[in-house]
């Protein structure tokens, strides 16, 4: 079974939702047969790379609230993250374009290191002081820690078209599937789960999707080998 997760590194509910989903998956009896693929979704598409501002300022402006209200919201998110065992800095974080990070995640997926890089990007954005925005060498260091070649990562970052089509394709597909926000989980292209749901919701979704997979329809007639040997060609 395949689970596709549309998310953005700048999305706190994606950070929390990923932890909740993984808790459900860890307890799922068929977890070894579940492939998890992370898809790209930008909350702020088209934002310039050098357009970086404090999260509190961004929230107050975007949602028409006071900075005190934005800070209260961050405190609430910090509590939700803490309940999942996740570190979360409620003050001093910034916000910017995640396009380059998504391009690197596509690069990492080709090399089997997508999950490792995503975890490091989330932690860097939500828990560490040094910004992940407008700082290519910060991204190079994180990608290297995820097991990627630093020079290859620099080449991707230097070419704005590298993996750009993959990011845009993910985003178009999200729209086609009806996703208007993230996190958005799609199980075997049959069930969709929107938002950072409790782990119990993910458990039910995994169980239902697994139970309703169509049975294999074999086509008989070819020669095979089995426990008792192989079919011998007849003259």
């Amino acid at each position: 079974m395949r689970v596709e997760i549309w998310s953005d590194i700048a999305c706190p509910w994606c950070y929390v939702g990923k932890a909740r989903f993984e808790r459900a998956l860890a307890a799922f009896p068929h977890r070894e047969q579940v492939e998890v693929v992370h898809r790209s979704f930008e909350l702020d598409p088209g934002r310039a790379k050098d357009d970086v501002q404090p999260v509190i300022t961004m929230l107050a402006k975007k949602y028409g609230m006071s900075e005190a209200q934005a800070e209260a919201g961050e405190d609430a998110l910090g509590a939700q993250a803490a309940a999942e065992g996740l570190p979360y800095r409620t003050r001093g974080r910034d916000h910017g374009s995640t396009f380059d990070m998504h391009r690197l995640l596509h690069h990492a997926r080709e090399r089997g290191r997508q999950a490792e890089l995503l975890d490091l990007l989330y932690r860097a954005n939500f828990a560490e002081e040094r910004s992940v925005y407008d700082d290519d060498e910060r991204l190079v260091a994180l990608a290297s820690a995820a097991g990627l070649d630093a020079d290859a990562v620099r080449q991707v970052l230097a070419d704005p078209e590298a993996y750009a089509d993959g990011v845009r394709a993910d985003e178009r597909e999200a729209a086609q599937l009806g996703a208007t926000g993230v996190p958005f989980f799609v199980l075997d292209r049959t069930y969709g789960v929107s938002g950072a749901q409790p782990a119990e919701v993910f458990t039910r979704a995994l169980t239902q999707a697994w139970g309703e997979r169509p049975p294999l329809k074999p086509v008989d007639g070819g020669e095979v080998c089995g426990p008792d040997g192989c079919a011998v060609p007849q003259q």
Side-chain angles (χ1 to χ4, degrees), residues 30-94:
H30 309 288
R31 60 186 175 276
E32 298 301 327
Q33 295 169 267
V34 177
E35 177 192 12
V36 179
V37 178
H38 294 279
R39 302 289 191 192
S40 297
F41 189 107
E42 294 170 275
L43 291 173
D44 204 351
R47 190 183 188 99
K49 184 172 180 175
D50 61 355
D51 184 4
V52 180
Q53 64 182 148
V55 165
I56 298 299
T57 302
M58 180 275 293
L59 291 172
K61 181 178 180 180
K62 183 173 183 178
Y63 297 107
M65 61 175 68
S66 68
E67 290 200 355
Q69 289 172 315
E71 289 174 349
E74 281 292 281
D75 290 340
L77 278 165
Q80 294 272 0
E84 300 300 328
L86 299 172
Y88 190 101
R89 295 177 66 234
T90 61
R91 300 292 185 273
R93 293 192 303 109
D94 56 12

Side-chain angles (χ1 to χ4, degrees), residues 1-228:
M1 184 167 71
R2 170 180 281 196
V3 178
E4 297 162 278
I5 306 173
W6 274 263
S7 60
D8 192 9
I9 298 90
C11 165
W13 287 119
C14 297
Y15 181 48
V16 172
K18 181 175 181 291
R20 291 175 178 173
F21 170 77
E22 289 176 347
R23 180 150 54 88
L25 182 61
F28 186 57
H30 309 288
R31 60 186 175 276
E32 298 301 327
Q33 295 169 267
V34 177
E35 177 192 12
V36 179
V37 178
H38 294 279
R39 302 289 191 192
S40 297
F41 189 107
E42 294 170 275
L43 291 173
D44 204 351
R47 190 183 188 99
K49 184 172 180 175
D50 61 355
D51 184 4
V52 180
Q53 64 182 148
V55 165
I56 298 299
T57 302
M58 180 275 293
L59 291 172
K61 181 178 180 180
K62 183 173 183 178
Y63 297 107
M65 61 175 68
S66 68
E67 290 200 355
Q69 289 172 315
E71 289 174 349
E74 281 292 281
D75 290 340
L77 278 165
Q80 294 272 0
E84 300 300 328
L86 299 172
Y88 190 101
R89 295 177 66 234
T90 61
R91 300 292 185 273
R93 293 192 303 109
D94 56 12
H95 175 79
S97 171
T98 57
F99 185 59
D100 282 351
M101 286 179 258
H102 284 296
R103 294 195 301 114
L104 287 180
L105 285 166
H106 277 263
H107 173 73
R109 183 184 175 195
E110 285 187 350
R111 287 150 181 80
R113 310 302 294 177
Q114 186 187 54
E116 291 81 358
L117 179 57
L118 183 60
D119 282 341
L120 288 170
L121 288 171
Y122 272 138
R123 183 169 291 266
N125 183 52
F126 290 107
E128 299 176 4
E129 290 188 18
R130 186 177 173 187
S131 177
V132 293
Y133 302 102
D134 194 23
D135 184 352
D136 283 358
E137 283 306 305
R138 173 63 163 149
L139 296 181
V140 170
L142 292 168
S144 297
L148 297 171
D149 179 76
D151 288 338
V153 169
R154 289 189 181 95
Q155 289 177 5
V156 172
L157 292 172
D159 178 5
E161 296 304 313
Y163 300 99
D165 287 346
V167 175
R168 299 305 185 211
D170 278 357
E171 293 172 338
R172 286 194 301 271
E173 196 164 16
Q176 291 166 1
L177 290 170
T180 57
V182 285
F184 186 66
F185 303 77
V186 177
L187 290 72
D188 259 358
R189 290 298 170 109
T190 303
Y191 292 95
V193 179
S194 180
Q197 300 284 353
E200 294 77 13
V201 173
F202 290 120
T203 297
R204 290 197 298 269
L206 287 166
T207 301
Q208 187 168 359
W210 181 268
E212 295 185 12
R213 291 177 307 143
L216 183 67
K217 296 180 180 179
V219 177
D220 296 324
E223 289 79 9
V224 299
C225 292
D228 298 323

